[in-house]
Amino acid sequence: MSAEIKVPTLGESVTSATIARWLKQPGETVSVDEAVVELETDKVSVEVSAPEAGVLGPHEVAEGAEVEVGALLTVVEAAGAGSAAASPAAKPAPAPAPAVPAAAAPAPAGQTGGIQPPRPTSGPVARPATPPSDVQRPAHDPLPAAQKMMTEKSVEASTVGEGTGKDGRITKGDVLAFLERPAQPAEKPAPAKAPARTDDPREERVKMTRLRKTIASRLKDAQNTAAILTTFNEVDMSAAMKMRTDYKEAFEKKHNGARLGFMSIFVRACISALKEFPAVNAQIDGDDIVYRNFVHMGIAVGGPSGLVVPVLRDADQMGFAEIERSIAGFGKRARDGALKLDELTGGTFSITNGGIYGSLMSTPILNPPQSAILGMHKIMDRPIAVAGQVVIRPMMYVALSYDHRVVDGKEAVSFLVRLKESVEDPRRLLLEL
């Protein structure tokens, strides 16, 4: 008995995948639920496991090939199966060649009648080919009347094409039909191809992963489609940092190890501002604008294959602790390549934090079909004026990139101002101010 391993259902709108690498080779023993092959889709990598224990059969698809959902990848031969199942089946003996009649042999000595005539056969008898009754003329050879007209009109036989006369010869009617055709524009010469690039010996050429190609395509589509504009503000992180310091241990103890970070503060501040300015949470659908009365918050996290944006569904219904636990889980699964496809779709607004890599300021690109994305950055001590005095405060630049087709400048700037107020005084979030 053998069990087939096929390409599983990969999620909504995903119909194919690429064989990233085979984790097991033909003939190797595999156990139940052991990963056999890694597939790469437009969004994440997926490992396909063995449905039962046994010996792995041959690979039906090579690494790097694209496969459809449901395609056969390999089989697992049940443990203890006979060796005949593992070895190739014996090939059937070739059919005997048809008998060829032997040439007539001379009669044995003493037998009268001389050489025996060959026996008649029921098959067709080959006859000598008859010579053609007519000499084959070359294709496009014009008839005399057609040749005369072509000479007068300076027309070449090759431009008229194959004629309608016998053996494809061009007739006078073919020439007249050719002359009545509308003039065809001259074909433009094909653009010269760029010379092939010669790699330097010190360079390394690596094929783009499917995920990287998808990220590149989606970001470029966003730039080509949306009217992207970015507005900036700065946030004094003093109050948020003090709250975190004062309640970090109590928060972690109360919520079973969940660590209090800045992301939950920014998520809650964004949710508060999105409720006040719903256009920032909307999207364009054809000639309509779709406004959402909920928030599915995308949180950009870095993985080994690139940036992915898992989604906190109904984030507006979550508290600080649940937000922190969910974000920590996303980060771990992204590093392990274990994010599920349904965790990466359906976001209505996104946050990306370049500050963890040291970015001081940037202009994030939209995550289609969303209409806005918030960029967080590095916290740096800077001198600022407070009540007429120059003081040193931990400051962060924040950036909101938005689709100007949906969001007006006033709404975008007001959104950032409301975010700034909430982060600089987190008590506003508790009081829903």
Side-chain angles (χ1 to χ4, degrees), residues 89-141:
K91 296 182 180 180
V100 179
Q111 184 175 348
T112 60
I115 298 175
Q116 296 291 330
R119 296 181 180 179
T121 60
S122 58
V125 179
R127 292 185 174 88
T130 57
S133 58
D134 193 5
V135 178
Q136 184 71 28
R137 295 183 178 273
H140 312 307
D141 187 23

Side-chain angles (χ1 to χ4, degrees), residues 272-285:
S272 176
L274 289 172
K275 290 180 179 179
E276 188 172 350
F277 304 101
V280 184
N281 196 44
Q283 78 169 74
I284 290 180
D285 184 15

Side-chain angles (χ1 to χ4, degrees), residues 355-376:
I356 60 176
Y357 305 111
S359 172
L360 184 62
M361 185 178 292
S362 66
T363 56
I365 301 178
L366 299 182
N367 184 23
Q370 299 171 24
S371 295
I373 180 172
L374 177 74
M376 297 168 55

Side-chain angles (χ1 to χ4, degrees), residues 243-263:
M243 183 183 77
R244 183 188 183 197
T245 301
D246 292 345
Y247 297 103
K248 180 179 179 180
E249 293 183 3
F251 184 88
E252 189 171 344
K253 183 177 179 180
K254 171 71 174 179
H255 298 290
N256 300 320
R259 302 181 65 181
L260 179 60
F262 295 128
M263 284 301 299

Side-chain angles (χ1 to χ4, degrees), residues 226-312:
I228 303 178
L229 187 63
T230 305
T231 186
F232 300 90
N233 211 318
E234 60 179 358
V235 178
D236 183 347
M237 296 294 293
S238 300
M241 294 176 72
K242 185 176 187 307
M243 183 183 77
R244 183 188 183 197
T245 301
D246 292 345
Y247 297 103
K248 180 179 179 180
E249 293 183 3
F251 184 88
E252 189 171 344
K253 183 177 179 180
K254 171 71 174 179
H255 298 290
N256 300 320
R259 302 181 65 181
L260 179 60
F262 295 128
M263 284 301 299
S264 57
I265 299 174
F266 274 88
V267 169
R268 290 302 311 175
C270 284
I271 291 170
S272 176
L274 289 172
K275 290 180 179 179
E276 188 172 350
F277 304 101
V280 184
N281 196 44
Q283 78 169 74
I284 290 180
D285 184 15
D287 293 331
D288 300 328
I289 298 178
V290 180
Y291 293 92
R292 283 81 162 239
N293 296 318
F294 59 90
V295 178
H296 289 343
M297 185 70 70
I299 306 295
V301 294
S305 300
L307 191 71
V308 291
V309 189
V311 177
L312 288 171

